[in-house]
Amino acid sequence: MSDLSLPSTFTPENAQASAVMNTYARMEVTFSHGKGLEMWDLEGRRYLDALAGIAVNTVGHGHPRLVAALQEQVAQMIHCCNYYHVQTQEQLAAKLVELSGMSNVFFCSTGLEANEAAIKLARKFGSKKGIERPEIVVYEKSFHGRSIATLSATGNTKIQAGFGPLVEGFIRVPINSLQALEQATHNNPNVVAVFLEAIQGEGGINVMDLEYLRQVRALCDERDWLFMIDEVQCGMGRTGKWFAHQWAGIQPDVMPLAKGLGSGVPVGAVVAGPKAAHIFEPGNHGSTFGGNPLAMRAGIETIAIMEADHLVENAAKMGAYLQTRLEQELQGVAGFVQCKGKGLMIGIELDRPCSALMGQALAAGLLLSVTADCIIRLVPALIIEASHCDEIVSILVPLIKKFLKST
Ligand SMILES: *Cc1c(COP(=O)(O)O)cnc(C)c1O
């Protein structure tokens, strides 16, 4: 596949020797390629991929239609800067507008960049109303990225530690409590926006109540705040709707997207409704790579494949099947708390920290992650079939049972 002579296994010694900066506690495996929901390591060992590169590989690995489109695009034009019109930007923006019912899109390359743009939108929205010190409501256990502003918005002190001073202008509240939101913002004229994940991903697959989302929408309308929903992880069909907030029948004013949007090619977007679509003017914001033709083609083709193969419906159906099977098998097992999430964004909550399960699953040929210490996270590609779900259950359930017995 590749001519790079990498060691197939990184031991602690050669990890020390690695020229890559040590920002991830990596597992001892190196992959060479993938196909659909399967991946192979450098020794030719097969794995079932229930992680999809953290909710990124929407159409799985090596999808023939995506590969062909990207190969064609690479030959035609990879990059063209935003001094000029980019036709594929117009196409992807129109598609996102159609799917969301919102009105305009800004393109960037990552989730944090999309959230950074959302925070700037909220601040300028306030500035235009004469608010000099705008404040944005954010949530406990939220994750919005690792830039200075987005880690300040994030509700996790571990992610913030060592990077102070944090950006000011955030008010933090617990999820799913209208009363807490009303109290925290009471008589505060500086509030400009409420910013939340419809389903918290890194925070442990915590689902916002649909009624709560409707109440926040109503409150934002009443107080003239922007309602900004971070759909970087829960968006792009994963929950069985194009966007997770659509389950509540509402529409946000600002919606950052990334992860699954380009099936692995870095693409971020901020979709804005009428209240936020015309806040930025030329010179206010930008991104060199944002909206480049390769990224746009990946987004366009991802959505086209999702439509042609009914992958949003598949996410709803297979997600429900997988979650039901897991619940059936784990019901009554001491130490199992609950399954949570929606569609193909599934958390299996245990009553104790279980990050060791990540390595145990890897050794058993299954890729998954553990987040918020006690939550096993499954976010597989949307092309998943029932046989894959059965294989996940048959590998994972015995591992969980064994883990709970031995700890
Ligand atoms: C992953 C994630 C981000 C950050 O995305 P990056 O592309 O890593 O910057 C932001 N918000 C949510 C909800 C995420 O899951």
Side-chain angles (χ1 to χ4, degrees):
M1 297 239 48
S2 141
D3 293 322
L4 290 175
S5 56
L6 291 169
S8 58
T9 305
F10 282 96
T11 63
E13 292 74 52
N14 62 25
Q16 281 277 310
S18 168
V20 176
M21 202 180 276
N22 189 23
T23 55
Y24 287 92
R26 295 174 196 269
M27 319 223 87
E28 308 251 323
V29 65
T30 306
F31 293 103
S32 78
H33 65 288
K35 188 79 196 154
L37 259 82
E38 298 176 296
M39 289 179 83
W40 286 268
D41 68 17
L42 292 182
E43 269 122 30
R45 209 173 152 234
R46 172 196 175 271
Y47 300 79
L48 181 62
D49 183 10
L51 184 58
I54 321 182
V56 168
N57 298 303
T58 301
V59 300
H61 300 277
H63 193 290
R65 179 167 170 184
L66 182 66
V67 170
L70 292 180
Q71 282 173 338
E72 184 187 78
Q73 187 61 50
V74 165
Q76 194 180 326
M77 177 166 50
I78 294 174
H79 180 77
C80 164
C81 75
N82 288 303
Y83 292 170
Y84 316 107
H85 289 279
V86 179
Q87 199 174 25
T88 42
Q89 263 183 39
E90 300 293 336
Q91 288 166 4
L92 183 56
K95 197 70 214 182
L96 290 172
V97 162
E98 175 198 320
L99 298 174
S100 65
M102 295 166 74
S103 50
N104 292 78
V105 185
F106 170 83
F107 289 109
C108 52
S109 310
T110 66
L112 82 78
E113 235 189 312
N115 286 331
E116 194 77 37
I119 292 166
K120 282 181 70 174
L121 274 174
R123 286 190 164 194
K124 182 135 195 256
F125 174 75
S127 162
K128 283 182 140 182
K129 292 201 289 183
I131 298 172
E132 282 171 13
R133 304 191 68 80
E135 296 183 60
I136 300 171
V137 177
V138 292
Y139 285 74
E140 292 172 4
K141 298 187 182 166
S142 63
F143 181 78
H144 297 296
R146 291 171 179 277
S147 67
I148 296 294
T150 57
L151 76 79
S152 301
T154 289
N156 183 337
T157 50
K158 276 191 211 155
I159 285 172
Q160 297 169 337
F163 300 109
L166 299 181
V167 170
E168 56 186 312
F170 295 108
I171 301 170
R172 200 167 302 282
V173 298
I175 68 168
N176 289 332
S177 168
L178 187 70
Q179 201 195 351
L181 175 58
E182 282 182 328
Q183 270 170 12
T185 56
H186 184 68
N187 276 340
N188 183 342
N190 292 331
V191 176
V192 290
V194 176
F195 188 26
L196 55 77
E197 296 157 85
I199 301 178
Q200 292 183 332
E202 303 308 302
I205 318 294
N206 307 315
V207 183
M208 297 284 171
D209 296 337
L210 300 183
E211 186 51 31
Y212 180 72
L213 290 175
R214 288 189 279 264
Q215 289 168 335
V216 175
R217 176 69 275 178
L219 193 68
C220 287
D221 289 339
E222 190 190 306
R223 308 271 169 94
D224 193 29
W225 301 337
L226 294 180
F227 190 6
M228 313 204 295
I229 304 189
D230 178 349
E231 295 244 8
V232 168
Q233 189 162 157
C234 59
M236 294 315 296
R238 177 154 296 282
T239 67
K241 298 259 189 204
W242 280 98
F243 307 107
H245 67 261
Q246 291 173 335
W247 288 103
I250 56 148
Q251 221 174 67
D253 301 303
V254 178
M255 175 172 67
L257 297 173
K259 289 202 167 88
L261 177 54
S263 283
V265 176
V267 194
V270 184
V271 187
K275 216 164 139 184
H278 304 292
I279 294 173
F280 282 159
E281 293 158 33
N284 284 167
H285 199 56
S287 169
T288 301
F289 290 124
N292 92 14
L294 179 63
M296 295 300 95
R297 189 70 184 270
I300 291 165
E301 216 60 44
T302 296
I303 293 173
I305 294 167
M306 290 174 73
E307 289 184 326
D309 295 349
H310 308 288
L311 295 186
V312 182
E313 295 84 345
N314 192 58
K317 201 169 129 201
M318 287 299 116
Y321 175 68
L322 179 55
Q323 191 162 335
T324 306
R325 288 274 337 259
L326 289 164
E327 275 163 355
Q328 282 168 352
E329 299 279 337
L330 291 168
Q331 214 47 257
V333 172
F336 164 72
V337 179
Q338 61 170 340
C339 283
K340 37 188 193 168
K342 203 159 208 152
L344 290 172
M345 189 168 180
I346 299 177
I348 305 166
E349 182 175 357
L350 305 186
D351 69 354
R352 66 201 75 169
C354 58
S355 55
L357 270 170
M358 231 180 123
Q360 292 167 15
L362 179 77
L366 176 64
L367 307 184
L368 49 73
S369 82
V370 171
T371 188
D373 298 332
C374 306
I375 316 288
I376 302 160
R377 169 172 53 181
L378 304 175
V379 282
L382 275 51
I383 57 164
I384 192 169
E385 295 170 16
S387 59
H388 299 123
C389 297
D390 294 337
E391 192 183 345
I392 292 171
V393 173
S394 73
I395 300 173
L396 184 54
V397 168
L399 280 181
I400 293 175
K401 287 181 176 167
K402 195 172 155 209
F403 173 82
L404 287 171
K405 268 206 187 112
S406 66
T407 50

